[in-house]
Amino acid sequence: MLLCISVVFAQQSVTGIVSDASGPIKGASVSVKGSNKATQTDANGAYSIQAEVGQTLRFSMIGYTAQEIITSTAKTINVTLINQEGALDEVVVTAMGIKREKKTLGYSFQEVKGDQLVDAKETNIANALVGKVSGLQIIKGSAGPASSTKITLRGNNSLTGDNQPLIIVDGVPMNNFLGGIKGNGEKNNDIWNPATDMGGGLGDINPDDIESMSVLKGGAASALYGSRAGNGAIVITTKSGKAQAGAGITYSSTLGLETIFMTPELQNNFGQGKDGVYNPTMTNSWGDNISGKAYDNIGSYFNTGVNHTQNLAFQQQLGETSIYSSATYLNDQSKIPGSSLERLNLMTKVTSSFGPDKRWTTDVKVQYMNVNAKNRPISGDNNSNVYSTLFTMPRSMNILDFKNPLNSVGDMAWYGTSENKTMNPYWLEKYRLNNDIRDRFVMNGNIKYKFNDWLDTEARFGRDQYTTNYDTKTYGGSPLITGGSYVLGKNTFFENNFTLALNAHKDNLFGKWGGSASVFGQIMKTKSTGIDANTGELQVPNLFYINNSKSFPTIEQSLLRKQINSLYATAEINYDNYFFLNITGRNDWSSALGLDNRSFFYPSVSASWVVSDMITKTGGTLPNWLSFAKLRGSYAEVGNDLPAFQLYNVYNVGKDPNGNTTAGIGTTKYNPDVLNELIKTVEFGFDTRLFDSRLGLDFAWYKTNATNQLIDLPMNPYSGYEYEKINAGNIQNSGFEVVLDGRILTNTDKLTWNSSVNFSTNKNKIIRLIDGVDMYPLGSYDNVSIRALEGDLYGDIYGTKFLRVQDSDSEFNGQLILNGNGVPQAADGLHKLGNQAPKALVGWNNSFAYKNFGLSFLIDGRFGGEFFSGTNLNLQANGNAAITAPGGERAPFVVEGVVNSNGTYVKNTQQTTQQLYWTQVTSTTGNYGITEQNIYDATNVRLRNVTLSYNFPKTILGNSIVQRAKVSVTANNVWMIKSYANGIDPESVFAINSNATGFENFSTPTSRSFFLNLTLGF
């Protein structure tokens, strides 16, 4: 901490200015320890408080290290607070926006500053969290830079839910929707024809507007948020107005370039054909040697993406009113030809104090987000997936030969015969178009009245609403559909939250005991609608109008409504500011549950014991090497209810393709007697700082059991239903997290170096399902299945495996059993081949500063876990994979293994070819062949991000209107240090909105990006 203290002799009244490096701070708390005297700084950072000589003044502000000063005869004390990330006595934002000192927390807590999110230069800010928070896993979609991103904290707690933490923005829950959704509101992860991933909800937010992110991992941390925070919560605090030197205007401009980061490993020696012979009608690469060179069709097709972001912001304090306002425009012309993303963010936030003694405070914010995406990628084993075409195109063919996508009669120009159903990527770019536009508002208004210095009341209103309009236009003249087709749809969503709160805080209840308490009442209402119309084939080609359909258009519609009423409270007592005990309780009444079960209560208790403070306050002395030590522990129960309208079966009325009226009650039998899920969490940990706080260590151990799982139990189809909704199961997560940080070099006049390491490991186990059922499917893709089995880990991957000798007494035990052609066979049934969960997650952050230069980098790694790669399988099947031409050759070879000769095993001597071998391996037993072949270790370590910056000193800026200037260069996905999947990025996931995340299939190649940023302050 740096303090500027000037002393002028006086008596009882103490005045002064509280500031930071940028100038005066409005709203900083100034209190007299051991009394009920407290005040806040005004718009100019000034304060005035009555204090006796020898009393202790405490200065604190969110994001800054608190400072305590013993008063003397001085009447003026000016304090400069330093923003010290990770300081244990800093004030942080916890559940319900309650600000608490970090050392008082009895649970694991991590905060990410807004600058870290901005420096990452990610289009979706969720991706910027990689490696920065222990226990947090980022699972990226495979639909390019604008795809959804799934967040999990400490594993999966549910078999059917999305397992994501609740996202809170300035007290308003924000819907972080994921992946492709059909018009009827259902998820669509069909491997052959999945819905388009229209991006995730968190990707709508502008990183430049964020002050901080608080990650609440355990049940005790997030219990106040109720049933939707059973998987934790991420609390986002946006910027508010602060007094600024100059006009308070900031302009930032960023230019980015995007290239391909990783591509599959391909062979470069053999071209179009089969059996080693050239054949111009074939779509694979089993032909003869290429006479010239293999073509880089991936590199030829993709562009260098260009991304630019313009941000204009104003913040200032005008009397008792602080204002923050910003406008940001993002334009991302992707490396994917024809694909683009535009995002406009507007935000205004006004906070004002008024009335006698400034007892009234209002806080009003409006955020507007407009996202316009064109030609989002199509995924899966779909003819419209351009990546499947590029990856599997014969190596002797040049994609540039088909850059003119139309032939002489106006149909799609392509190669091969009519049996070739693949699509010309250039035709898809121009004649299969999709567009989605989302308009979104996140709004909140708070009004607070302070009765006295220890009691206040507050009313809050928050709303998240959006409308997404989308269409898909497919022109005629291709194998997709002769006359073309048209899809038009619209999704709407809103959630309103009304909250009343009463808050009390006293440091001197009696003796050395202090306490605080808050009571809340809340009403949450939400509604979502969807409508989707599909013409099928058009009557008049290329006339995109819903009624222009050869048959009857298919219409799908959805409506969901839900309300939760809640009463909840939190209370904390502390002894001498070193022992803290916090208790919470919440009761929800959910409309999604039956009348007899819709009320459910869940409590939490947490304790923090600052051992180092206790020692010093009781007359002891700390060892020179020990600066701080704290023990903590917590227990919590958190509920979780159903989605809307899953209590009773009702008839859905529709039309068949011939226009006849149909009615059905769905495939799941609902049960109005189901109970809420219950998640129980216990956590213990400690924080310590050593060697004058230059080294810090935070450790947490936790165990979570999620019981009463709301699952769809498979039923006998003859019952009329496929599933039944029941309560069952017990899912356990247990593990530990370590955060190690160090201020290695601290000479501010020369070189400083700060480093931090996040490490976490989690074991996600299925303790119990239900009597008579020991397996629950999380996702199935032909002969690849991802399951939850009783007694095993969550997310085991099942598939077919190679047939091997299973005789421990045999000299051939474990060897492949080949057929008469000398190629492998598949064993009967499906077998466990791996598990999708990582065994450990690691992030290593480093930041250096030398005078006005800054350098930071992040290395992160995922260790353990497996995934199935459909891309590798398809490359092997058509002869493009490098593994199909070892050493650039395709000479006949003998597969190591045995054959069964009259009941005995003998060593194989039968020669085979690469084509016969890989055709057998990739086509036996199902569309994904012998799946064991394409199970890959998901371990990967990469240099994720590097940023170099320079802050222009005042000596250069002089007396110009420019108050601050900074230039920076950033690179993302710099270097894949280690991976095992033959050029497929393990971060690519097919079904992002499911819990089966161990499956990849024809993913969009991930990106490496470079950014140049200039920021000016006026």
Side-chain angles (χ1 to χ4, degrees), residues 670-896:
Y670 294 133
N671 178 2
D673 297 322
V674 293
L675 305 173
N676 62 285
E677 294 183 350
L678 186 61
I679 304 173
K680 300 178 181 180
T681 303
V682 61
E683 177 184 326
F684 297 100
F686 66 84
D687 304 337
T688 184
R689 290 196 174 272
L690 311 173
F691 311 117
D692 196 25
S693 293
R694 292 185 63 175
L695 181 66
L697 176 64
D698 184 294
F699 174 86
W701 173 88
Y702 61 88
K703 183 169 77 73
T704 298
N705 288 88
T707 58
N708 284 348
Q709 291 282 307
L710 289 162
I711 66 173
D712 296 332
L713 184 70
M715 294 181 66
N716 188 326
Y718 290 108
S719 67
Y721 298 95
E722 296 180 17
Y723 306 96
E724 180 181 13
K725 184 73 71 176
I726 65 167
N727 286 111
N730 179 357
I731 298 177
Q732 179 174 289
N733 283 280
S734 60
F736 65 88
E737 301 162 350
V738 177
V739 180
L740 179 67
D741 65 88
R743 294 185 294 126
I744 300 171
L745 300 175
T746 59
N747 190 334
T748 55
D749 294 329
K750 295 183 179 179
L751 179 65
T752 65
W753 176 17
N754 295 328
S755 183
S756 66
V757 176
N758 295 301
F759 174 87
S760 61
T761 181
N762 180 72
K763 186 176 182 180
N764 200 169
K765 188 174 182 180
I766 309 298
I767 303 298
R768 187 177 182 275
L769 287 174
I770 191 173
D771 292 340
V773 177
D774 61 2
M775 188 277 289
Y776 189 84
L778 300 173
S780 294
Y781 310 101
D782 203 87
N783 56 331
V784 180
S785 177
I786 300 178
R787 303 174 173 180
L789 276 83
E790 187 171 300
D792 288 343
L793 298 180
Y794 189 108
D796 282 340
I797 304 173
Y798 275 72
T800 52
K801 69 176 184 179
F802 289 102
L803 181 64
R804 289 183 171 88
V805 177
Q806 302 289 331
D807 182 359
S808 59
D809 296 328
S810 172
E811 63 177 308
F812 302 114
N813 185 45
Q815 291 195 25
L816 297 177
I817 301 175
L818 310 175
N819 65 16
N821 294 321
V823 292
Q825 304 177 81
D828 293 335
L830 298 181
H831 305 265
K832 180 179 175 181
L833 302 175
N835 183 273
Q836 66 184 13
K839 292 182 172 59
L841 298 171
V842 178
W844 182 28
N845 291 272
N846 290 269
S847 60
F848 301 85
Y850 178 73
K851 296 185 177 179
N852 294 309
F853 289 93
L855 173 67
S856 65
F857 69 86
L858 166 64
I859 296 176
D860 68 271
R862 167 199 167 130
F863 298 90
E866 290 81 28
F867 73 105
F868 175 84
S869 173
T871 302
N872 272 302
L873 174 132
N874 283 285
L875 291 174
Q876 295 157 7
N878 84 330
N880 276 4
I883 199 173
T884 64
E889 300 293 333
R890 281 185 174 167
F893 69 105
V894 176
V895 179
E896 184 176 350

Side-chain angles (χ1 to χ4, degrees), residues 319-331:
E320 294 298 323
T321 299
S322 65
I323 301 174
Y324 175 84
S325 187
S326 73
T328 304
Y329 174 70
L330 164 73
N331 186 304

Side-chain angles (χ1 to χ4, degrees), residues 169 171-174 365 367 440-445 461-466 493-498 525:
V169 181
V172 180
M174 184 176 186
K365 185 204 71 177
Q367 280 178 278
R440 188 171 198 170
F441 288 90
V442 177
M443 301 168 283
N444 65 274
F461 168 74
R463 180 179 176 94
D464 175 23
Q465 71 171 58
Y466 61 81
F493 171 87
F494 82 80
E495 177 180 320
N496 289 339
N497 282 273
F498 307 86
K525 293 183 178 181

Side-chain angles (χ1 to χ4, degrees), residues 116-273:
Q116 294 175 278
L117 302 173
V118 172
D119 288 345
K121 297 293 184 291
E122 291 280 2
T123 302
N124 187 332
I125 60 170
N127 297 333
L129 293 173
V130 174
K132 294 182 174 66
V133 178
S134 63
L136 182 146
Q137 183 182 8
I138 295 297
I139 304 171
K140 297 183 179 181
S142 58
S147 66
S148 302
T149 295
K150 183 174 184 176
I151 305 172
T152 59
L153 288 170
R154 295 180 172 177
N156 297 286
N157 290 314
S158 176
L159 295 169
T160 56
D162 67 8
N163 287 297
Q164 288 202 109
L166 178 66
I167 306 298
I168 303 290
V169 181
D170 292 329
V172 180
M174 184 176 186
N175 187 2
N176 188 28
F177 47 84
L178 294 175
I181 304 294
K182 297 193 295 185
N184 61 4
E186 296 179 357
K187 300 173 183 177
N188 178 13
N189 294 314
D190 177 61
I191 191 63
W192 306 110
N193 190 29
T196 303
D197 181 353
M198 296 185 191
L202 200 54
D204 292 346
I205 297 180
N206 173 29
D208 291 282
D209 290 333
I210 295 176
E211 182 74 29
S212 66
M213 273 191 181
S214 300
V215 182
L216 311 179
K217 300 180 233 182
S222 58
L224 277 182
Y225 283 121
S227 58
R228 293 184 298 167
N231 302 307
I234 295 178
V235 181
I236 298 175
T237 302
T238 60
K239 293 178 180 177
S240 56
K242 294 181 181 178
Q244 300 289 312
I249 297 173
T250 301
Y251 173 70
S252 174
S253 179
T254 302
L255 175 65
L257 300 177
E258 176 193 33
T259 60
I260 295 176
F261 178 47
M262 296 182 70
T263 56
E265 297 176 5
L266 305 178
Q267 58 87 10
N268 297 307
N269 299 84
F270 298 91
Q272 188 177 18

Side-chain angles (χ1 to χ4, degrees), residues 26 41-44 317-322 351-354 358:
K26 176 184 181 295
T41 56
D42 62 17
N44 299 312
Q317 291 180 343
L318 306 173
E320 294 298 323
T321 299
S322 65
T351 303
S352 182
S353 298
F354 57 92
K358 305 298 184 289

